[in-house]
Amino acid sequence: MKTILEIKDLYKSFEEKEVLSNINLKVEEGEFIAIMGQSGSGKSTLLYCISGMDRPTSGNVIFDGEDISKLNDEKISKIRLKQMGFIFQNSYLLKNLSIRDNIILPGFKLGNLSRENVNKNADELMKKTCIDNIAGHDIKKVSGGQLQRAAICRGLINKPDVLFGDEPTGALNSSTSREVLDIINTINKEGTTVIIVTHDVKVAARADKVIFLMDGNINDELSLGKHEEDEEKTLSKEKRLYLWLEKQGF
Ligand SMILES: Nc1ncnc2c1ncn2[C@@H]1O[C@H](COP(=O)(O)OP(=O)(O)OP(=O)(O)O)[C@@H](O)[C@H]1O
Ligand SMILES: [Mg+2]
């Protein structure tokens, strides 16, 4: 197995305040990692530091063999556009564009793929996430779940190695959340590494491994194994996770 991301002795401070300290983590290609922890424990900060959206104060973030913490902004942007996809709690789609145009925009920015290929990827992604019927719709006229599925398509348009998410289902109701999680699990099964921050046990139970952050440190991690479409297995994972989180004081 290939290590796609390695974090070595990562520290992050904002002015005088230390928010992350001594973070060490290895992520193998194809893994699905969930990051949990109390509000303010540093989850988003960690996600931003390991995905090149922010820089660590010290330490190394080795992405696909390259220490991205040492690269200039332009080089980091290129890697992010080409090899990383992002989804957030809010979809951040552009209001004056259709669903389809929002999805293909990062593909055209990259310039590596032909227009034809970008369009083809967009069609495939929209079909997979069941939003192909609303491709031309104004984003103001679709549901929250449809918006989030469009955001996932946008995150995947350049076929990234890693999909990062910060509370990607945080604004969705439970059934829509389940649909979005099914899509994320499918994408992961097809080979994309997934790293998401979540408060939700049902979301974290879909991951292979859960990391618990406490006061900016990795307090513990729990291995769950690959997700299977089996309700009983999922429930038993949720139970294990609940017990483990209790031990963490969550
Ligand atoms: N840009 C910033 N400037 C100063 N302090 C920051 C900044 N971003 C985050 N912090 C501080 O860092 C700490 C960790 O914040 P972070 O957003 O990473 O927590 P979190 O675990 O994601 O919380 P939540 O679950 O509420 O989203 C908090 O104390 C926060 O106030
Ligand atoms: Mg956060």
Side-chain angles (χ1 to χ4, degrees), residues 12-15 17-20 35-48 54 89 166-167 197-199 213 216:
K12 175 71 179 174
S13 301
F14 291 110
E15 283 143 26
K17 192 177 166 209
E18 193 168 81
V19 171
L20 296 172
I35 302 171
M36 297 191 85
Q38 306 282 10
S39 181
S41 57
K43 304 182 294 296
S44 298
T45 306
L46 178 61
L47 195 79
Y48 298 161
D54 199 353
Q89 180 163 354
D166 194 356
E167 302 279 0
V197 164
T198 184
H199 278 112
L213 269 191

Side-chain angles (χ1 to χ4, degrees), residues 55-56 58-61 66-72 75-76:
R55 282 175 193 278
S58 67
N60 311 93
V61 178
E66 187 158 29
D67 190 348
I68 60 168
S69 59
K70 304 285 183 284
L71 296 179
N72 65 29
K75 284 194 175 143
I76 291 181

Side-chain angles (χ1 to χ4, degrees), residues 154-210:
R154 181 189 51 185
L156 293 173
I157 190 71
N158 291 326
K159 305 198 168 179
D161 297 317
V162 183
L163 180 68
F164 293 95
D166 194 356
E167 302 279 0
T169 60
L172 305 176
N173 66 33
S174 60
S175 72
T176 318
S177 172
R178 208 174 315 126
E179 285 165 21
V180 167
L181 287 171
D182 286 343
I183 293 166
I184 294 176
N185 275 130
T186 305
I187 291 158
N188 175 244
K189 214 189 254 171
E190 290 168 359
T192 309
T193 308
V194 177
I195 305 177
I196 56 172
V197 164
T198 184
H199 278 112
D200 189 337
V201 170
K202 283 197 184 305
V203 177
R206 301 290 195 110
D208 311 338
K209 189 156 94 187
V210 187

Side-chain angles (χ1 to χ4, degrees), residues 1-11 22-29 31 33 46-47 49-52 56 58-70 79 84 161-162 164 193 195 209 211 218:
M1 232 191 290
K2 176 181 155 192
T3 303
I4 186 74
L5 185 65
E6 185 171 6
I7 295 117
K8 286 187 186 164
D9 303 325
L10 184 146
Y11 286 75
N22 193 29
I23 302 275
N24 287 282
L25 181 67
K26 254 189 192 182
V27 181
E28 305 298 332
E29 210 166 40
E31 264 192 309
I33 310 275
L46 178 61
L47 195 79
C49 283
I50 66 179
S51 60
S58 67
N60 311 93
V61 178
I62 298 151
F63 181 82
D64 197 17
E66 187 158 29
D67 190 348
I68 60 168
S69 59
K70 304 285 183 284
I79 289 177
M84 301 177 181
D161 297 317
V162 183
F164 293 95
T193 308
I195 305 177
K209 189 156 94 187
I211 282 162
I218 296 179

